Amino acid sequence: MTNNQLEAFVMVADYRGFTAAALHLGISQSAVSHAIRSLEKELGVQLFIRLKADAELTEVGARLLLRAREMMGLYETIRQEAADAQGLKTGTLRIGSFGPSSSLRLLPALLHEYRRQYPMIEVHIDEGPDQDVKQWILDRRIDIGFVVLPEERFETYELVKDQMVALLPPKHLLARQVSIRLGELCSDPFIMTEAGSAEIVTSLFHAKNLLPNVHFRSAQVMSTLALVGRGEGVTILAELALPEGEQLKAEQAYLVKPLSPPAFRHVGLAIHSKKRASPAALAFIQVAKKMDLSKLQSQR
């Protein structure tokens, strides 16, 4: 069993096909097929059900996939620890990121500093909903991920305290108020986010025994902003999820008001286990801990 075989196994599973896996790996489809056939022969089991356009994991293949990811992670850790003795010159870092908060506001600044210090580390970024990022950490698909805290399943490192804000149409009756109480948002049609702040927004209302008048559910921040701008309803989002700069000027057909009392969410980094984390992942954490990310908060 070789690392190339395991890598082919994981890539075919992730991309659900031999052609897409081959493109990602930069090798021929026949080479990927040969690696999978050899691995299946060595293990004595069928890992995939071959379809016309896709490849689906068999039941045993799905069970073995997690072990394959663990073995690949250990292989990369060994390789990086050897490189670490030479100044962490080479290696790979797989990062999971969710939504505008981490992908557009936090990650670029962190990557800029990380690449400055470790220019030879190859960085892979997977983006998806926050729940997907957590699952990717569990599945060992990524080395480190941005998550909303607290998260008891992982070792975590807080990065920023992010204020929750109410968003109103420009001509709303509450437009002149400095801050907004949760109860004042219950009579209007409410646009419930299904992105990284969903659990926090729901818990805020639940803690006050309030029930918002949910008319829309949106997983995309820009769709939510457009609905508010058209006067379709009100919502609550995290401040870091909102556009900034020139994009803010183009999109801000809405009012942003802090909540009363103030409410926050905490965003941080999570790894499965510090003991088994790669040097590249630990180095990323150290870079993040030394940076002041509070300046990335929106200035409104």
Side-chain angles (χ1 to χ4, degrees):
M1 186 185 307
T2 67
N3 186 64
N4 289 339
Q5 289 174 329
L6 293 175
E7 188 175 28
F9 174 33
V10 171
M11 289 300 103
V12 173
D14 285 349
Y15 290 94
R16 297 179 58 86
F18 289 78
T19 301
L23 288 172
H24 180 81
L25 292 169
I27 59 178
S28 66
Q29 182 178 334
S30 61
V32 173
S33 298
H34 176 73
I36 297 300
R37 284 197 303 270
S38 299
L39 184 58
E40 289 178 326
K41 183 177 180 181
E42 181 177 346
L43 296 175
V45 296
Q46 183 179 356
L47 299 173
F48 294 99
I49 299 172
R50 277 78 164 174
L51 305 174
K52 286 186 178 180
D54 300 321
E56 293 184 0
L57 283 165
T58 61
E59 184 178 345
V60 66
R63 293 202 307 269
L64 294 177
L65 179 61
L66 177 59
R67 300 304 181 195
R69 292 192 196 280
E70 291 177 344
M71 291 177 68
M72 284 183 61
L74 287 173
Y75 174 86
E76 179 63 22
T77 298
I78 291 171
R79 191 165 70 89
Q80 288 186 18
E81 285 183 354
D84 195 26
Q86 305 177 52
L88 197 58
K89 293 181 179 179
T90 62
T92 301
L93 177 64
R94 301 166 299 171
I95 302 173
S97 182
F98 71 89
S101 300
S102 58
S103 296
L104 299 182
R105 304 295 293 280
L106 299 176
L107 186 56
L110 287 170
L111 281 181
H112 178 76
E113 179 60 22
Y114 185 73
R115 293 286 295 167
R116 186 187 70 80
Q117 296 187 33
Y118 307 101
M120 299 304 293
I121 299 296
E122 183 178 314
V123 179
H124 297 195
I125 302 170
D126 284 334
E127 295 181 284
D130 60 321
Q131 293 301 326
D132 285 358
V133 173
K134 294 174 185 178
Q135 190 61 49
W136 294 340
I137 298 173
L138 287 172
D139 292 343
R140 311 300 206 280
R141 176 173 170 175
I142 58 176
D143 302 304
I144 191 167
F146 288 88
V147 299
V148 176
L149 304 176
E151 179 50 66
E152 303 297 334
R153 292 173 292 180
F154 311 120
E155 295 190 43
T156 59
Y157 306 85
E158 183 171 332
L159 296 178
V160 68
K161 184 179 179 181
D162 190 10
Q163 183 173 218
M164 304 300 296
V165 293
L167 271 60
L168 312 173
K171 297 181 180 180
H172 196 275
L173 292 175
L174 302 175
R176 294 183 178 275
Q177 292 190 191
V178 175
S179 59
I180 306 296
R181 297 189 302 273
L182 285 176
E184 295 175 312
L185 299 174
C186 291
S187 58
D188 288 273
F190 194 86
I191 305 159
M192 180 64 74
T193 178
E194 293 190 338
S197 302
E199 291 185 16
I200 294 175
V201 173
T202 300
S203 64
L204 287 175
F205 283 106
H206 182 73
K208 298 290 185 179
N209 292 317
L210 296 172
L211 188 65
N213 184 21
V214 177
H215 279 213
F216 303 93
R217 294 183 182 275
S218 175
Q220 299 297 325
V221 171
M222 300 313 296
S223 298
T224 301
L225 300 183
L227 287 168
V228 175
R230 290 200 301 267
E232 299 288 351
V234 299
T235 192
I236 296 174
L237 291 176
E239 191 175 26
L240 277 178
L242 302 180
E244 61 175 347
E246 292 302 315
Q247 186 183 17
L248 172 63
K249 295 177 184 178
E251 298 290 344
Q252 194 171 13
Y254 51 84
L255 301 175
V256 180
K257 303 284 185 178
L259 296 177
S260 179
F264 301 89
R265 72 169 181 176
H266 300 262
V267 179
L269 294 171
I271 56 176
H272 197 280
S273 169
K274 186 175 181 180
K275 290 182 179 180
R276 302 185 68 175
S278 68
L282 295 176
F284 188 81
I285 290 170
Q286 290 305 312
V287 168
K289 289 169 70 174
K290 292 178 181 178
M291 290 185 66
D292 180 11
L293 297 173
S294 61
K295 61 184 179 182
L296 298 178
Q297 293 289 125
S298 296
Q299 300 296 321
R300 299 178 184 277

